[in-house]
Amino acid sequence: EAGVAQSPRYKIIEKRQSVAFWCNPISGHATLYWYQQILGQGPKLLIQFQNNGVVDDSQLPKDRFSAERLKGVDSTLKIQPAKLEDSAVYLCASSLELGQPQHFGDGTRLSIL
Amino acid sequence: DAKTTQPPSMDCAEGRAANLPCNHSTISGNEYVYWYRQIHSQGPQYIIHGLKNNETNEMASLIITEDRKSSTLILPHATLRDTAVYYCIVRPNTGNQFYFGTGTSLTVIP
């Protein structure tokens, strides 16, 4: 079974620029998650989708972050404009259904100059 | 918002059992205990989960105390590849919020 695919693996941008990350979950997984992991900390949930609907986005900074999951499969997470404190690894995870174990991709490491 | 307490770091000799403790004294009756690990530069990897009973799979064993206030993850024969940060998480069976905390950094020593 193929795992969760994320791209790009690394991204370097200047503050105030825009950036987008892409995630392809495990085939058949209805639930998709985006996490932010700052160096030295555990991952923090940003947004959770069930199929193409948002289940929880309470931790998403909506003034600059947005995410979508068109057709209930792939997802993109966008930051516009980026701030220095957005430097982190952005992880995507998927699970078969709500309440099932989550499977993670290897993330996108974002550096803001 | 992490509901668990773990030691920040531990060492284990290669080939020996690694016993990683986790305290979750405020756990509710419908909350599961999950364990994940994160090897450097990789995403977290699911290991095991349980509610009340002890669980075992090909990776590890999970021992949950009778009062469910603490648990221990056991890696029976640690290898160098088990060096990672191990996260203990409690999660309601009706919700999907995972609070990862800062975990235990396990170093397996040759």
Side-chain angles (χ1 to χ4, degrees):
Chain A
E1 164 181 273
V4 175
Q6 290 189 247
S7 68
R9 192 80 170 87
Y10 304 93
K11 189 72 177 179
I12 301 173
I13 63 172
E14 295 184 349
K15 61 183 179 184
R16 291 188 289 274
Q17 286 187 323
S18 302
V19 65
F21 314 123
W22 173 81
C23 173
N24 182 241
I26 293 172
S27 178
H29 279 199
T31 313
L32 184 147
Y33 317 79
W34 283 101
Y35 287 83
Q36 180 193 58
Q37 185 171 24
I38 292 171
L39 187 65
Q41 300 180 17
K44 183 186 82 170
L45 181 68
L46 292 175
I47 189 168
Q48 175 184 329
F49 293 92
Q50 178 70 9
N51 296 310
N52 60 352
V54 175
V55 174
D56 182 358
D57 64 356
S58 58
Q59 300 296 309
L60 188 73
K62 298 180 188 62
D63 58 334
R64 296 183 301 106
F65 286 65
S66 64
E68 60 182 8
R69 191 184 183 196
L70 300 176
K71 301 181 182 179
V73 181
D74 292 7
S75 177
T76 56
L77 175 70
K78 297 179 182 177
I79 308 175
Q80 181 179 9
K83 292 186 175 181
L84 292 176
E85 60 259 35
D86 298 332
S87 292
V89 175
Y90 290 85
L91 295 159
C92 179
S94 68
S95 62
L96 196 58
E97 288 292 345
L98 283 172
Q100 297 295 311
Q102 298 179 22
H103 301 270
F104 286 78
D106 285 336
T108 296
R109 182 175 297 276
L110 176 66
S111 298
I112 313 292
L113 303 179
Chain B
D1 290 58
K3 300 181 181 180
T4 63
T5 304
Q6 299 177 253
S9 63
M10 292 180 61
D11 292 338
C12 177
E14 187 178 17
R16 304 296 293 270
N19 296 279
L20 291 94
C22 179
N23 181 288
H24 31 78
S25 57
T26 60
I27 194 169
S28 302
N30 66 345
E31 289 185 318
Y32 284 76
V33 179
Y34 276 74
W35 283 84
Y36 280 76
R37 73 180 182 184
Q38 189 170 24
I39 296 169
H40 182 63
S41 295
Q42 296 182 18
Q45 177 189 25
Y46 166 76
I47 301 173
I48 198 167
H49 74 285
L51 183 62
K52 296 180 182 178
N53 300 323
N54 298 336
E55 302 288 343
T56 295
N57 62 21
E58 65 279 4
M59 290 182 68
S61 295
L62 173 60
I63 308 298
I64 303 174
T65 58
E66 192 169 342
D67 63 7
R68 304 209 322 122
K69 293 183 183 301
S70 65
S71 62
T72 301
L73 179 75
I74 300 172
L75 308 177
H77 305 286
T79 71
L80 299 179
R81 286 191 296 268
D82 292 322
T83 292
V85 177
Y86 287 76
Y87 296 99
C88 169
I89 303 159
V90 295
R91 181 192 67 76
N93 66 343
T94 55
N96 227 41
Q97 268 288 5
F98 271 54
Y99 297 106
F100 274 81
T102 51
T104 296
S105 178
L106 174 70
T107 302
V108 180
I109 302 169

